[in-house]
Amino acid sequence: MVSYSPVYHFETKGGVVTAYPSWPVGGATIYYLDPTFYWYTMENASNTDFTVIYSADGSTDGSGVLDTDTTRIPAGNTTFVPIDADLDPSTDYYWQVESNFGTEYEYSTVAEFTTYDAPGFTATKPTPSYPTGGLTIYTTSPTLHWYIGATKYRQLLF
């Protein structure tokens, strides 16, 4: 006696995949100047190479690709890439992902974010004040002290 399973149907798709920017997006304000760009795909992208394109000018060509003063960061086949230089503070940026599979290219939508800059604020380096100099402390919960600009101090309790 021979028995057969029911017939099932499925489709395969090859070629380039679409990337979807996930961070930073939506006009978010970021508080650092060297973000990492993140995106995802809805399909297996193991043979796809990605490149992030970013610009402070959101101009696009007729097909929705950023086209003015862009910088490109190759990401290989990962779905994230850190930026390779600090961005300007208080600036709107636009970015998108280029997906490449052989001779096929696909571009994500353009995402936007803003870098933050507190006017007149200059970060200063804190200086440790206690314990310093190799002191032996006889507690498992020391209080650490430091100062900034010799006029203020902070303490951290463990």
Side-chain angles (χ1 to χ4, degrees):
M1 169 148 253
V2 177
S3 180
Y4 296 97
S5 70
V7 175
Y8 290 97
H9 173 78
F10 64 92
E11 293 181 26
T12 61
K13 180 183 178 212
V16 70
V17 299
T18 301
Y20 300 91
S22 60
W23 184 255
V25 297
T29 300
I30 60 169
Y31 296 90
Y32 40 90
L33 300 177
D34 59 345
T36 296
F37 297 103
Y38 294 92
W39 61 93
Y40 63 92
T41 65
M42 299 297 283
E43 303 169 60
N44 180 353
S46 60
N47 293 322
T48 301
D49 286 323
F50 299 102
T51 300
V52 166
I53 304 167
Y54 72 91
S55 173
D57 180 340
S59 299
T60 60
D61 65 11
S63 65
V65 177
L66 290 171
D67 68 348
T68 306
D69 297 325
T70 61
T71 301
R72 300 172 67 83
I73 307 171
N77 66 354
T78 65
T79 56
F80 66 94
V81 67
I83 198 162
D84 52 3
D86 280 352
L87 299 174
D88 294 327
S90 297
T91 304
D92 293 333
Y93 281 94
Y94 305 86
W95 70 283
Q96 70 185 152
V97 181
E98 174 188 83
S99 304
N100 170 246
F101 181 81
T103 60
E104 298 178 61
Y105 290 86
E106 180 78 29
Y107 294 86
S108 72
T109 58
V110 175
E112 179 182 355
F113 66 95
T114 302
T115 53
Y116 179 78
D117 181 31
F121 176 77
T122 303
T124 56
K125 180 179 175 184
T127 303
S129 61
Y130 181 80
T132 59
L135 294 176
T136 301
I137 306 298
Y138 296 97
T139 180
T140 58
S141 56
T143 300
L144 306 177
H145 294 267
W146 64 90
Y147 64 89
I148 299 175
T151 59
K152 296 181 181 179
Y153 78 95
R154 302 283 188 257
Q155 67 180 16
L156 180 63
L157 302 174
F158 285 102

